[in-house]
Amino acid sequence: MYLYESVTHRGARRWLPCLALAALPLIAQAASDVEQLTKDPKNWAMQAGNLANHRYSELKQINAGNANQLTVAWTFSTGVLRGHEGGPLVIGDTLYVHSPFPNKVYALSLEDQSIKWKYEPKQDPAVIPVMCCDVVNRGVAYANGKIFLQQADTTLVALDAKTGQEIWKVKTGDPKKGETTTNTPHVFKDKVLTGVSGGEFGVRGRITAYDLETGKEVWKAYSTGPDNEMLIDPAKTMAWADGKMRPVGKDSSLKSWKGDQWKLGGGTTWGWYSYDPELNLVYYGTGNPSTWNPSQRPGDNKWSMTIFARDLDTGVAKWAFQMTPHDEWDYDGVNEMILADIKVKGKMRKALVHLDRNGFGYTMDRVTGELLLAEKFDPAVNWATHVDMKTGRPQVVAKYSTSKNGEDFNTKGVCPAALGSKDQQPATYSPKTGLFYVPTNHVCMDYEPFKVEYTAGQPYVGATLEMYPAPNSHGGLGNFIAWDAGTGKIVWSIPEKFSVWSGALATAGDVVFYGTLEGYLKAIDHNGKELWKFKTPSGIIGNINTWENKGRQYVGVLSGIGGWAGIGLAAGLTKSTDGLGAAGGYKDLAKYTELGGVLTVFALPNTAPPAGERTAAADK
């Protein structure tokens, strides 16, 4: 039996076992220092740059007038040859960088690039076959003198930032059930938040908050199932319906699944989270439902494919919005939520901007959860005509409905492919221009679902895919775009031969950086004009970061081909349907790059004259 207990902070509520109420401890909140550290642009203290996922820097020593003079300052090999996602952190005079499995962590001195310490966890390599789309890791987190690493085997560990010694560690999942972890931990206030991967293994997704200092679990919220386990208040948690926000009602998830299918329901949480301190709300997305065969799971499959806004202290959901009900194409909803105060259709709003795998860019009111705008950010998107603004539901084109076409039928020409018009590779937002700069995929697919039985720890996919460039276009697999989230329009687009799988970076110097799968780091101006490029040792799926040390600005990026797009090259897969279709779609990558694992750091030459700054305002 459960009852509601009122929680003093902001009137939030949570489910608690009634017998445990008397034993509840008073938890002292020791806020972390990371929020303050992000306000100094000399640091790069969070993977996303700040709490709002802007990936923007106020540094402007490198600007649109001198970016063409960038040169390599130094490099560092991680000693691992697989997909390198995420990027380094810089706190003061130390840089912290990670690797994919086995998830090494290095602390490097910015003075002479010497290794201050190295941490290499002992993990069972049996976890590798359970990892869906390469053995990537999206980076470490920092707070209060600790480095937080989320290992592939679901171990969350806190290390002493000065010595690399373990302070505490906790197991967050079970690889024997197909649960792994590839996400970066997120530190908000006094908590470390982490998720789980494994939607292709019948995992039940969740987000868990741990105490920053002790590693003790504070709350856990599942993506599917009973209200009490999801930390949903049927009367208070709101969702968009009939053109307004309404309570989700009792058993909103259970009613949307057939029988106990929700127990294998996916909705994993391996993406990027953001946090609004004024609202005390954390925002994140949930992934695809299991299996990929939609015929085996009738219903909307709530709350997979969903944006959640939760109270950070209690975990209780304030609102939820499902982008792709009854997903039929693997359009995970885990991409980052970027928080920005922008004009939407002429009116200032506290907005949340989410560029979803399904090809629609959503602009929401982050306070209320109201849907403000939903438009296609890739012209190839064809699986739906538009999003009905009253219901929030995409209007599916019957021809591309794998559910309607049924099992063992190959639905051809679906755009985007399962890896979406954008996967986890994070966009950047520039407050100077008001635009979002977005790495995108321009890929379509053939999708054939088939019946599959669940076995713990074994793949639970149930679909065969093939991928290829969007037809009747520029022939490439990607674009890098500027997106106006207030109008839902593409401002400009740069075609790329392959998907742009790196995280982007915008700076106050009016330079935007992104990396390509061939291995180029590129610098462009705010109009999309290329200023400079450099070929790094391997394909780039890492995120570009910047920092300052001793008066000099640096830009760094991890290169190491892999991830879903590069899994064929990284794992030696050759069949066109291998890697859930990516091996065939990206087979030409082998002509342009090879495996690697290198951090490359760039700066202006010491002798370079400080070229005159260019600004967006001046260009206008």
Side-chain angles (χ1 to χ4, degrees), residues 53-95:
N53 272 333
H54 285 178
R55 296 199 52 78
Y56 173 82
S57 173
E58 291 288 350
L59 297 180
K60 55 185 178 181
Q61 183 182 90
I62 299 168
N63 57 61
N66 61 22
N68 62 347
Q69 301 175 54
L70 283 168
T71 187
V72 174
W74 55 274
T75 64
F76 178 79
S77 172
T78 66
V80 180
L81 298 177
R82 287 300 284 262
H84 283 62
E85 291 185 353
L89 297 182
V90 174
I91 314 293
D93 62 357
T94 305
L95 180 145

Side-chain angles (χ1 to χ4, degrees), residues 32-34 37 45 141-148 187 189 212-213:
S32 77
D33 58 354
V34 71
L37 289 170
Y142 174 90
N144 291 13
K146 302 178 187 66
I147 291 292
F148 299 93
V187 177
K189 207 160 64 176
L212 175 69
E213 301 299 335

Side-chain angles (χ1 to χ4, degrees), residues 1-3 5 14-26 216:
M1 178 180 175
Y2 286 78
L3 53 80
E5 180 206 26
R14 71 180 296 182
W15 290 97
L16 291 169
C18 51
L19 293 177
L21 293 180
L24 280 176
L26 292 175
K216 182 179 179 181

Side-chain angles (χ1 to χ4, degrees), residues 240 321 362-365 369-374 387-389 392:
W240 183 255
F321 178 84
Y362 294 84
T363 303
M364 320 282 296
D365 185 305
E370 177 187 354
L371 176 63
L372 304 177
L373 182 149
V387 171
D388 184 312
M389 292 300 291

Side-chain angles (χ1 to χ4, degrees), residues 313-327:
D313 294 333
T314 65
V316 174
K318 180 176 181 180
W319 59 261
F321 178 84
Q322 189 176 39
M323 286 82 67
T324 313
H326 184 59
D327 170 60

Side-chain angles (χ1 to χ4, degrees), residues 338-620:
I338 305 175
L339 313 183
D341 297 347
I342 60 174
K343 277 189 177 181
V344 183
K345 298 178 180 178
K347 181 181 178 182
M348 284 300 299
R349 305 296 290 252
K350 287 184 175 296
L352 175 153
V353 176
H354 172 73
L355 294 125
D356 195 61
R357 282 256 288 263
N358 69 15
F360 287 90
Y362 294 84
T363 303
M364 320 282 296
D365 185 305
R366 69 176 182 269
V367 181
T368 64
E370 177 187 354
L371 176 63
L372 304 177
L373 182 149
E375 298 289 346
K376 296 177 182 179
F377 63 93
D378 185 278
V381 175
N382 66 10
W383 69 277
T385 56
H386 65 285
V387 171
D388 184 312
M389 292 300 291
K390 190 172 183 180
T391 64
R393 299 180 72 96
Q395 301 303 289
V396 177
V397 176
K399 176 182 177 181
Y400 302 116
S401 171
T402 69
S403 182
K404 189 165 291 187
N405 293 336
E407 290 179 350
D408 304 317
F409 181 91
N410 193 13
T411 299
K412 296 187 175 184
V414 183
C415 306
L419 40 66
S421 293
K422 186 178 102 56
D423 204 322
Q424 61 77 38
Q425 61 268 41
T428 177
Y429 167 67
S430 170
K432 289 188 72 174
T433 66
L435 296 177
F436 297 75
Y437 302 97
V438 190
T440 74
N441 311 315
H442 196 52
V443 189
C444 302
M445 68 176 172
D446 299 342
Y447 189 112
E448 183 175 351
F450 58 85
K451 188 172 183 179
V452 62
E453 299 296 332
Y454 173 77
T455 302
Q458 296 299 312
Y460 189 51
V461 179
T464 302
L465 281 67
E466 292 198 56
M467 300 184 189
Y468 40 83
N472 305 314
S473 187
H474 58 76
L477 292 160
N479 296 298
F480 188 78
I481 71 169
W483 176 251
D484 186 333
T487 62
K489 295 187 182 301
I490 299 170
V491 179
W492 49 254
S493 178
I494 302 171
E496 288 287 351
K497 184 173 184 60
F498 297 102
S499 295
V500 185
W501 211 268
S502 81
L505 169 73
T507 73
D510 294 301
V511 184
V512 178
F513 294 91
Y514 69 95
T516 74
L517 286 175
E518 305 102 302
Y520 285 106
L521 176 62
K522 295 188 175 184
I524 60 174
D525 68 13
H526 50 259
N527 295 314
K529 179 184 176 183
E530 185 176 298
L531 305 169
W532 168 88
K533 68 179 180 180
F534 181 90
K535 187 78 152 55
T536 65
S538 185
I540 297 175
I541 64 170
N543 303 333
I544 296 94
N545 301 347
T546 189
W547 62 90
E548 183 182 309
N549 184 52
K550 293 189 173 180
R552 196 176 183 194
Q553 182 183 355
Y554 296 86
V555 174
V557 65
L558 279 170
S559 61
I561 194 65
W564 192 357
I567 188 64
L569 185 54
L573 306 177
T574 56
K575 191 177 176 183
S576 64
T577 55
D578 284 347
L580 300 172
Y586 295 84
K587 61 182 182 298
D588 286 348
L589 266 179
K591 299 176 183 178
Y592 296 89
T593 192
E594 213 6 303
L595 300 183
V598 176
L599 172 67
T600 308
V601 178
F602 301 87
L604 296 173
N606 283 324
T607 57
E613 288 186 36
R614 284 181 55 193
T615 67
D619 276 11
K620 285 180 181 178

